[in-house]
């Protein structure tokens, strides 16, 4: 397969990651019930494959889904045949969706998957931060580490923006979604050094929060996932997001690494916010509704 383009990995690392996954998995398929590898043969020759994980729980909606981690096809008809078989497997496992992350640069694959019924639901943005870099700060809106007594504020702000967390096209009750989030957030360890709160210096009021999580290292560099970031409604429109962005970039800049995050395409303002902040799109997640 041609290199589709990646902000995380160069061509060599990208292809090596896929090869390593196959080498480690294929000899152990009988011990990995969640893995399915489909190979298409034409005239006795292998002409394409899909690498699929079933029974994966969506982190936001908690719906069961299958994740297409890797594929190699050279004609649309080959992809169509493989996905038809994959959909039967997904339905047999009673998973509701099948998802795939496609490079933002790979327009051919995006078109092919769209023709097979997939629709874009969110995108992943990423920015590399050089060692020693410090993000934008403000004396009027200082940022501090979160404390356990910040939990009521975080829950209140989160509840004001429930709809922006739902991926585009997903049918899920917003009240149930928020209830699930609230229960999860009650278990947060707010002493984490990667959780932050921004305040208004003049009043001492909390104005927003940022929750980071360490991601999987990429090419020997640390990564930091923006798990959640929000500005309180009463402080909206003041441009405070740039300071929370600065806090994330300062964390990554201690040793150098990547800051990345996901944004739903269901809300126009959110889908364009990352670009306005200087974070290019790396991948777009496409989903196929496999219910019924």
């Amino acid at each position: 397969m041609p290199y589709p383009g990646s902000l995380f990995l160069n061509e060599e690392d990208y292809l090596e990651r896929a090869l390593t996954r196959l080498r480690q998995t294929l000899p152990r398929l009988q011990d990995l019930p969640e893995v399915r590898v489909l190979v298409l043969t034409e005239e006795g020759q292998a002409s394409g494959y899909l690498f699929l994980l079933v029974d994966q729980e969506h982190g936001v909606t908690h719906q069961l889904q299958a994740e297409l981690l890797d594929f190699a096809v050279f004609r649309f008809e080959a992809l169509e045949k493989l996905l038809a078989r994959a959909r039967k497997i997904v339905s047999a496992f009673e998973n509701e969706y099948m998802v795939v992350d496609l490079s933002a640069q790979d327009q051919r694959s995006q078109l092919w998957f769209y023709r097979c019924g997939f629709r874009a639901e969110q995108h992943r943005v990423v920015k590399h931060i050089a060692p020693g870099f410090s993000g934008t700060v403000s004396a009027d809106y200082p940022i501090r580490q979160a404390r356990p007594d910040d939990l009521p504020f975080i829950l209140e702000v989160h509840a004001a923006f429930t709809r922006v967390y739902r991926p585009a096209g997903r049918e899920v009750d917003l009240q149930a979604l928020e209830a699930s989030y609230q229960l999860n957030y009650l278990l947060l360890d707010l002493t984490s050094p990667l959780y932050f709160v921004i305040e208004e210096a003049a009043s001492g009021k909390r104005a927003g929060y940022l929750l980071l999580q360490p991601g999987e290292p990429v090419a020997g560099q640390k990564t930091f996932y923006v798990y959640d970031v929000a500005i309180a409604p009463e402080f909206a429109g003041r441009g405070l997001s740039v300071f929370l962005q600065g806090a994330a970039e300062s964390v990554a800049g201690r040793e150098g690494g990547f800051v990345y995050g996901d944004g739903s395409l269901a809300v126009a303002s959110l889908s364009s916010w990352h670009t306005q902040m200087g974070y290019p799109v790396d991948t777009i997640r496409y989903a196929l509704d496999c219910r019924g």
Side-chain angles (χ1 to χ4, degrees):
M1 285 290 288
Y3 172 59
S6 169
L7 298 174
F8 279 113
L9 299 167
N10 59 32
E11 181 174 2
E12 182 179 358
D13 291 336
Y14 182 92
L15 296 176
E16 184 58 37
R17 171 176 284 195
L19 290 172
T20 298
R21 182 191 295 118
L22 290 168
R23 291 179 182 131
Q24 293 177 346
T25 303
L26 289 178
R28 303 175 50 239
L29 281 178
Q30 293 183 342
D31 302 323
L32 301 171
E34 75 281 6
V35 176
R36 292 292 184 275
V37 180
L38 305 180
V39 178
L40 178 67
T41 58
E42 297 176 301
E43 298 181 356
Q45 299 294 321
S47 60
Y49 74 87
L50 299 182
F51 188 108
L52 193 69
L53 287 183
V54 298
D55 283 345
Q56 306 301 298
E57 185 177 295
H58 191 281
V60 173
T61 68
H62 302 290
Q63 296 164 314
L64 285 180
Q65 62 185 23
E67 297 182 15
L68 180 53
L69 294 187
D70 187 23
F71 65 93
V73 291
F74 306 95
R75 296 182 299 108
F76 170 73
E77 292 76 15
L79 178 65
E80 194 174 33
K81 291 178 180 178
L82 284 165
L83 286 177
R85 175 62 63 85
R87 181 167 186 165
K88 291 181 180 179
I89 294 173
V90 173
S91 297
F93 276 87
E94 298 184 344
N95 288 185
E96 297 185 53
Y97 291 89
M98 178 165 38
V99 299
V100 60
D101 294 323
L102 301 176
S103 169
Q105 304 175 47
D106 188 0
Q107 296 183 353
R108 185 186 73 168
S109 291
Q110 292 178 42
L111 176 60
W112 284 4
F113 275 87
Y114 185 89
R115 290 175 61 187
C116 289
F118 284 73
R119 296 294 180 264
E121 64 174 20
Q122 68 183 43
H123 61 203
R124 171 160 290 182
V125 299
V126 59
K127 186 176 183 179
H128 182 261
I129 309 300
F133 181 86
S134 294
T136 305
V137 298
S138 169
D140 295 328
Y141 292 95
I143 294 176
R144 60 167 173 80
Q145 283 189 242
R147 304 185 301 255
D149 63 347
D150 292 318
L151 182 59
F153 167 75
I154 292 174
L155 293 177
E156 180 181 359
V157 173
H158 188 282
F161 299 105
T162 304
R163 65 188 183 91
V164 307
Y165 297 92
R166 179 176 57 183
R170 294 272 179 149
E171 296 179 9
V172 60
D173 181 78
L174 290 180
Q175 290 184 336
L177 180 62
E178 182 55 34
S180 175
Y181 261 110
Q182 298 271 323
L183 290 173
N184 287 336
Y185 276 34
L186 286 173
L187 302 177
L188 285 178
D189 178 9
L190 289 178
T191 63
S192 168
L194 295 179
Y195 294 168
F196 302 93
V197 168
I198 184 171
E199 296 178 327
E200 183 181 48
S203 65
K205 291 184 177 180
R206 302 176 179 95
Y209 64 87
L210 166 69
L211 308 180
L212 295 177
Q213 292 181 344
E216 180 184 352
V218 172
Q221 298 194 62
K222 291 185 176 181
T223 66
F224 297 91
Y225 178 63
V226 180
Y227 178 72
D228 194 7
V229 58
I231 298 295
E234 65 178 296
F235 288 94
R238 304 189 191 185
L240 303 188
S241 296
V242 70
F243 305 127
L244 291 175
Q245 174 191 2
E249 293 174 355
S250 294
V251 169
R254 292 169 188 167
E255 300 179 31
F258 296 90
V259 176
Y260 68 103
D262 297 318
S264 171
L265 295 174
V267 182
S269 59
L270 183 65
S271 64
S272 62
W273 176 83
H274 300 288
T275 302
Q276 297 170 13
M277 301 291 281
Y279 279 59
V281 177
D282 180 51
T283 57
I284 303 173
R285 170 158 288 194
Y286 281 75
L288 177 68
D289 190 339
C290 296
R291 298 170 297 173

